Amino acid sequence: MLPTLPLIDSFGRLHNNLRISVTDRCNIRCFYCMPAENVQFMESSELLSFDEIERFVRVAVRLGIDKLRLTGGEPLVRRDLDQLVARLAAVPGIQDIGVTTNGILLANQAADLYAAGLRRINISLDALTPEKFKQFTRRDGFEQVIEGIHAAQRAGFDPVKINAVSVRGLTEDEIIPFGRFARETGVEVRFIEYMPLDADNAWERGKVLFAHEIIETLSSAIMPLVPVNLAESAGLPATTTAAGHGGPAEDFAFADGIGRIGFIASISQPFCASCNRIRITADGKLRNCLFSLEETDVRSLLRGDGSDDQIADAIRTSVAAKKEGHEVNTARFIQPARPMYSIGG
Ligand code: SAM
Ligand code: SF4
């Protein structure tokens, strides 16, 4: 067996966070992720089975992975997702499991997922009206997502986090409603800058609504936003205490302590220097970056006669080859062939 040294890349970054895509299928068609029609999905035989995912996780834990997030495609369209959560939660060494979902199927699954051991849930919702929702997703379903958010809160998820992709020309009208929504419901709203991972290859830098613009709008329309660690040291109310998430989101609270807003400013303030993530796609390809142009086929090891040591070696080699950062802000940038739904966001 290989020695269990932590996963440290050549830039000194320690990796403890694994994102697992459980399917590339989805029940909506967000324009920044999927094509509108005629999507070529993976065959179900191509998807890693729950046994294969669990084995991969057991090997990754030996290398220091202790945090998992299930994603997709839409993870809740994968049958018996709660059973996978329960299996992964039982792996010794796993400290934390999250799911990112579009929320459409959540109302029926929230309680089972919570009972299976899931404690962190991010629900993607880009707009607070059905009409604008459809402009983003090219499908109906706004009411189902709102029901899903309420069901998640009833099931015990706390906090429930919302992910909203920030797109110039679409998101501006949603900023203040989202600020009020965060204050009224206790849901944490996180704006994610639109990234060049859309299937239509239509991303342009000019279409990104930047985090600082949203901060300015909220601060002048509602009240100043304070970085959460500052709010803590200023002794603001307990609702503003920071979660030491160690992730890419920058968290803010309104100055009166009511309402949390986060930002994933992947374009205007890339967080590559502190990236601690690796990803495995639904068809078992290991990726060391969302924007990576290379991937490692782990499924052939899992399905062939690859040993656990060979799988561990593949993970180490992938991490060792990780680049310093993405090149989205340079002329050298090449968009990966896989769009977001096929990578697992
Ligand atoms: N279907 C689930 C969902 O939408 O929550 C999980 C998969 S989705 C790919 C994961 C996250 O990536 C979502 O919050 C989604 O909004 C975000 N996302 C997808 N494409 C994106 C893009 N081009 N730029 C920024 N965020 C994106
Ligand atoms: Fe589906 Fe999520 Fe992609 Fe939207 S972002 S199309 S919900 S996978």
Side-chain angles (χ1 to χ4, degrees), residues 6 14 100 123 174 189-190 277 288 323:
L14 180 70
T100 302
I123 303 170
E174 303 301 315
V189 176
R190 305 192 321 165
R277 297 176 173 188
N288 57 24
K323 300 223 164 78

Side-chain angles (χ1 to χ4, degrees), residues 32-33 71-75 100-102 124 163 165 192-195 197-198 340 345:
Y32 48 69
C33 175
T71 181
E74 171 47 37
T100 302
T101 170
N102 63 29
S124 302
N163 289 357
V165 178
I192 306 177
E193 289 177 353
Y194 175 24
M195 294 181 276
L197 291 166
D198 55 319
M340 189 68 121

Side-chain angles (χ1 to χ4, degrees), residues 80-127:
D80 300 328
L81 187 73
D82 60 321
Q83 291 178 20
L84 178 63
V85 169
R87 287 174 70 160
L88 298 180
V91 173
I94 291 300
Q95 308 287 346
D96 184 286
I97 305 183
V99 163
T100 302
T101 170
N102 63 29
I104 300 262
L105 299 175
L106 189 56
N108 283 336
Q109 295 189 36
D112 288 344
L113 288 167
Y114 193 87
L118 186 73
R119 290 294 177 272
R120 293 159 79 89
I121 196 145
N122 290 50
I123 303 170
S124 302
L125 178 65
D126 302 315

Side-chain angles (χ1 to χ4, degrees), residues 55 68 74 82 90 134 137 156 198-199 210-211 238 267 271 280 296 301 303 307 313 330 334 336:
R55 179 175 171 212
L68 305 176
E74 171 47 37
D82 60 321
K134 197 168 182 176
T137 62
D198 55 319
F210 295 121
I267 306 300
F271 41 85
I280 186 156
T296 304
L301 292 172
R303 290 200 180 162
S307 65
D313 206 25
T330 74
I334 300 171

Side-chain angles (χ1 to χ4, degrees), residues 126-201:
D126 302 315
L128 284 172
T129 65
E131 298 74 27
K132 185 62 77 68
F133 175 88
K134 197 168 182 176
Q135 280 182 268
F136 276 96
T137 62
R138 306 189 276 214
R139 293 287 187 276
D140 294 319
F142 173 76
E143 288 79 8
Q144 288 151 268
V145 181
I146 296 291
E147 277 172 36
I149 292 170
H150 292 146
Q153 288 185 311
R154 278 197 307 274
F157 290 100
D158 183 22
V160 169
K161 294 187 181 176
I162 289 195
N163 289 357
V165 178
S166 59
V167 181
R168 192 174 299 285
L170 284 173
T171 303
E172 289 86 340
D173 293 345
E174 303 301 315
I175 298 173
I176 296 168
F178 267 128
R180 295 200 177 115
F181 189 76
R183 289 169 67 74
E184 285 158 15
T185 62
V187 159
E188 239 179 273
V189 176
R190 305 192 321 165
F191 292 95
I192 306 177
E193 289 177 353
Y194 175 24
M195 294 181 276
L197 291 166
D198 55 319
D200 297 339
N201 267 273

Side-chain angles (χ1 to χ4, degrees), residues 188 227-233 237-245 251 253 260:
E188 239 179 273
V228 162
N229 46 2
L230 268 186
E232 271 188 314
S233 57
T239 48
T240 65
T241 50
H245 51 69
D251 288 332
R260 289 278 292 265

Side-chain angles (χ1 to χ4, degrees), residues 254-319:
F254 287 103
D256 64 356
I258 300 170
R260 289 278 292 265
I261 306 286
F263 296 92
I264 302 184
S266 339
I267 306 300
S268 64
Q269 287 184 290
F271 41 85
C272 304
S274 60
C275 181
N276 62 358
R277 297 176 173 188
I278 55 173
R279 301 164 186 273
I280 186 156
T281 65
D283 57 346
K285 306 291 187 287
L286 185 61
R287 297 177 62 86
N288 57 24
C289 173
L290 259 182
F291 295 101
S292 178
L293 301 176
E294 291 98 35
E295 44 190 39
T296 304
D297 182 14
V298 181
R299 190 183 64 192
S300 60
L301 292 172
L302 288 163
R303 290 200 180 162
D305 53 5
S307 65
D308 286 359
D309 281 350
Q310 283 174 305
I311 295 167
D313 206 25
I315 300 173
R316 282 193 192 293
T317 306
S318 172
V319 168

